[in-house]
Amino acid sequence: MKPLDPRLLRYARGARSVLGFGGLLGIVRTLAIIAWSWCLAQAITGLVLPVLGGAGGGSGLIGDHAASPDALPWLLAGAAAALIARSAASWGMDVLAARGAVRVKSQLRSAALDAVDSRSPEAFAARADAGPAVVLGRGLDALDGYFSAYLPQLILSACATPLIVLAVLLADPISGITVMIVFPVIPVFMILIGLATRSVQQRQWEQLQRLSSSFLDVVEGLPTLKIFGRERRQVRRIAQVTGEYRSRTMHVLRVTFLSGFVLDLAGTFSIALVAVTVGTRLVSGEFSLALGLFVLLLLPEAFMPVRAVG
């Protein structure tokens, strides 16, 4: 399946509302993050500058773009309001995704059952296949994780990341250019990891279908097996297939945790590279403290959605 398969929008209308309203909530959440970072950076600067060098705020450009100490209550109130707006938008996206998953599963299951009913009974009587049952059951239930975890992060990656990178670029062109240079490292790792895990997950899905088919065959032939006393052999066979599926599941989980570690490591290195350049200019007095804190607060938010998608 593609990251966002167009067939999902064609066969399930509930997915359209999730993408549409989810994009709006994602933009609101991103703007709240930018406002929260700016207010918090200004508030911290107003508290730190008198300690650094009196009202002037230290040497060089450290005190530039800093708000007056009298604006501290308004900055804290703005940061609190932005935090509430961010939390409300995140909660709205979670609720929208959960309800959208229920609607989409219902629509897809109804469409699949209608397609099965439209076929002749002879099409299924010729062979005992548990594939349709697995798809309609376990397969559609997997959309819960797709809508509740993956799709919101995909929406945030499309909405939040460009806006945050643009905000960093406007606040500090050097940091913005650095982010745009190091940012493609994460998608490259995502592609490489995706190619490595795709075959593993495909084999696990095939193993689940074989397990379901074996169990279905045993249930259908249970009277015959009892007559000839061969039921214990089938029990051992199902236990063997189940053990293989269990070990393959652990292998998939091991690959998943390893891929998450690699993505976190790549994102951490990218953030650290920008943080070092900002810190160096702050120490030398060539950069504003308010803008530096603003950039450092925004950097993790720029990489977080893409890392979560990976």
Side-chain angles (χ1 to χ4, degrees), residues 8-170:
L8 186 63
L9 303 179
R10 185 166 65 250
Y11 294 115
R13 297 180 180 179
R16 303 176 185 177
S17 61
V18 174
L19 292 177
F21 291 106
L24 293 177
L25 291 175
I27 294 176
V28 172
R29 181 181 182 275
T30 304
L31 295 178
I33 290 174
I34 296 175
W36 174 80
S37 300
W38 176 258
C39 292
L40 189 60
Q42 291 290 340
I44 295 175
T45 303
L47 293 174
V48 172
L49 281 181
V51 179
L52 291 178
S59 60
L61 303 177
I62 294 295
D64 289 356
H65 305 93
S68 61
D70 298 335
L72 183 60
W74 295 102
L75 292 173
L76 294 177
L83 184 60
I84 293 174
R86 173 185 179 178
S87 302
S90 300
W91 174 81
M93 292 186 67
D94 293 339
V95 173
L96 181 67
R99 294 182 177 179
V102 175
R103 291 195 301 270
V104 168
K105 285 196 304 180
S106 177
Q107 293 170 358
L108 291 178
R109 187 172 282 116
S110 299
L113 291 176
D114 292 340
V116 172
D117 291 338
S118 63
R119 301 178 64 179
S120 62
E122 289 78 8
F124 297 97
R127 56 188 178 91
D129 190 4
V134 175
V135 172
L136 293 176
R138 186 73 175 271
L140 287 180
D141 288 338
L143 287 178
D144 289 332
Y146 178 82
F147 274 88
S148 62
Y150 174 76
L151 198 56
Q153 297 302 327
L154 183 64
I155 294 173
L156 288 178
S157 298
C159 299
T161 301
L163 291 177
I164 293 178
V165 172
L166 179 61
V168 173
L169 185 62
L170 294 177

